Amino acid sequence: MTSGWQAILQGRLPGAAGSTDSSLEGLCALREERTGRATALSGEAERSEEVLQGCNAQVKASSDSFRLELESLRERREGNDGVRATLLDQKRELLRKLGQVDEQLDVAEKESRELVVNERRLEENMRHVSEELAGWLTREARRQEDLVEEQNILVGISEVALDVEKEIQARASATASAREDCDGLVTVAPALAAACVQAESRRLLALEAMTSAAMEAPAEAAARAGTGALMQSEEEAWAGDAACHEVLDLVELAERDVVQLASELWHSLGLTDRSTPIERLLFDDALGLRDRSKALAGGLRGQLAPPATPDATASSADASSGSAAVGASASAGHGGGTASAPKVPPTGGAEDVAEDDAE
């Protein structure tokens, strides 16, 4: 195209008249070329129009599809936003309920801890109460056993005392009858004297049994206390002392009766310091009964003596000697109804009886 226009311009220049024909030809060729080029461009324009229309159709179709899809996405987004809002509301509600559940759980855990502490305290209280009740029941059972044992001892002492009282009444009746029968006689018959001595011996044997029972009960209680058992109560101690006092009164009464009997035998049988042992046999038996009665009374007094006194050692020694005398007397007494203590010298009979009468 540039070369064509150059050729035209060259044809217009001066001195170029001879070349006009050639320029015209060139212009015609150029026009034809431009016409062909315009035709080609028109065809290309048509093709471009078709392509443009196809592109527009595709763009429109794409736009429509994108618009539909966008609307669908918007609808889905709106629906999702609604679901999301609903879920958020549900989440808030669940969080609120979860907070309430946490609070209730904290309260329940706190109550559970308090219940565990209360349960342990209750178990500890139950254990202490059980131990106290068990100890109380054990003490009451032992106290009941001690009371039953003491009751049995007192019943035995009462039975023996009843026998002694019956023996005393029988002796008093026999003595009264003998005195009535021998009112006009100067001396007491030897048979009556032997009966009186034998009655006093049986009476002393019963008193020795009562003394042994009364002295063994505190010893057994002390032995139980040494092995870890409970000590007797003040009431039990008072009852044991009362029993010892009762037996001591009976022993002192028997001692006075034996001394009186020995004095009557000495005067009634007409005994002197020169009397033979056979003549003094009943009198010596009465003196032996007197010595045994003194030993019993000394043992009981030592048993009743308070342990805190300065003479506690001497009292315990007297009680031990008294107990030994009780055992020896009991063993001698069981050998026979007329068994007696060792004989006193013949020269000491009347003086001893006089001293006892003075006491």
Side-chain angles (χ1 to χ4, degrees):
M1 180 178 180
T2 305
S3 61
W5 286 105
Q6 288 178 357
I8 295 172
L9 289 175
Q10 289 177 1
R12 291 181 179 178
L13 290 176
S19 62
T20 302
D21 294 334
S22 59
S23 298
L24 182 61
E25 292 177 359
L27 289 173
C28 289
L30 182 58
R31 184 179 55 78
E32 291 177 359
E33 182 183 357
R34 293 299 152 192
T35 303
R37 181 67 177 172
T39 303
L41 289 175
S42 178
E44 289 179 4
E46 291 177 359
R47 286 193 300 273
S48 297
E49 183 68 22
E50 292 177 359
V51 172
L52 181 60
Q53 290 178 1
C55 290
N56 290 331
Q58 290 179 0
V59 169
K60 183 179 181 181
S62 298
S63 299
D64 294 337
S65 63
F66 287 154
R67 189 180 296 108
L68 293 175
E69 187 174 357
L70 182 60
E71 291 177 357
S72 176
L73 290 175
R74 288 178 178 175
E75 291 177 358
R76 290 175 61 187
R77 183 174 62 79
E78 291 176 357
N80 191 14
D81 291 340
V83 173
R84 183 171 173 273
T86 304
L87 293 176
L88 287 175
D89 294 337
Q90 293 179 359
K91 180 181 178 181
R92 295 190 189 94
E93 184 67 21
L94 291 176
L95 289 175
R96 186 180 62 80
K97 292 182 178 179
L98 184 61
Q100 294 178 356
V101 171
D102 290 336
E103 293 177 357
Q104 294 177 0
L105 183 60
D106 293 338
V107 174
E109 290 179 352
K110 184 178 179 180
E111 291 180 356
S112 178
R113 290 192 295 269
E114 292 178 355
L115 290 175
V116 169
V117 173
N118 293 333
E119 183 179 359
R120 291 177 181 174
R121 184 170 62 252
L122 181 60
E123 290 177 354
E124 189 71 15
N125 293 335
M126 291 175 63
R127 185 176 64 82
H128 286 303
V129 171
S130 300
E131 291 177 356
E132 291 178 359
L133 289 176
W136 182 76
L137 290 176
T138 303
R139 291 192 297 271
E140 287 298 323
R142 291 176 181 174
R143 181 173 178 274
Q144 187 176 6
E145 291 177 358
D146 295 338
L147 292 176
V148 170
E149 183 177 358
E150 182 182 359
Q151 183 180 5
N152 294 332
I153 293 173
L154 293 177
V155 170
I157 292 174
S158 300
E159 293 177 356
V160 175
L162 182 61
D163 295 338
V164 171
E165 290 177 0
K166 291 180 179 179
E167 194 71 29
I168 292 172
Q169 292 177 359
R171 178 182 175 278
S173 300
T175 303
S177 300
R179 285 179 178 177
E180 291 177 359
D181 294 339
C182 301
D183 191 16
L185 298 177
V186 179
T187 61
V188 179
L192 180 58
C196 292
V197 172
Q198 187 174 5
E200 290 295 333
S201 177
R202 288 196 298 268
R203 177 187 181 185
L204 188 59
L205 286 175
L207 290 175
E208 287 174 350
M210 294 172 62
T211 304
S212 299
M215 295 176 65
E216 285 176 0
E220 292 178 357
R224 288 196 300 272
T227 58
L230 295 174
M231 294 295 293
Q232 288 183 343
S233 62
E234 296 181 359
E235 182 179 357
E236 296 173 357
W238 180 84
D241 293 342
C244 291
H245 279 294
E246 183 179 356
V247 176
L248 179 61
D249 293 338
L250 294 176
V251 171
E252 291 176 350
L253 178 61
E255 183 180 355
R256 290 194 295 271
D257 292 342
V258 168
V259 170
Q260 183 179 359
L261 177 61
S263 178
E264 291 179 357
L265 290 176
W266 179 267
H267 295 291
S268 300
L269 295 177
L271 298 177
T272 62
D273 294 339
R274 296 181 181 181
S275 299
T276 62
I278 296 177
E279 294 175 348
R280 292 171 52 96
L281 181 60
L282 295 176
F283 177 75
D284 292 338
D285 289 342
L287 292 181
L289 294 175
R290 180 202 62 181
D291 295 337
R292 288 164 62 185
S293 300
K294 286 184 177 181
L296 286 178
L300 288 172
R301 292 189 187 98
Q303 182 70 23
L304 294 174
T309 57
D311 298 333
T313 306
S315 299
S316 60
D318 294 339
S320 301
S321 61
S323 300
V326 169
S329 301
S331 61
H334 285 294
T338 59
S340 62
K343 304 293 187 296
V344 297
T347 58
E351 290 80 358
D352 293 340
V353 172
E355 292 177 359
D356 293 335
D357 290 338
E359 292 178 358

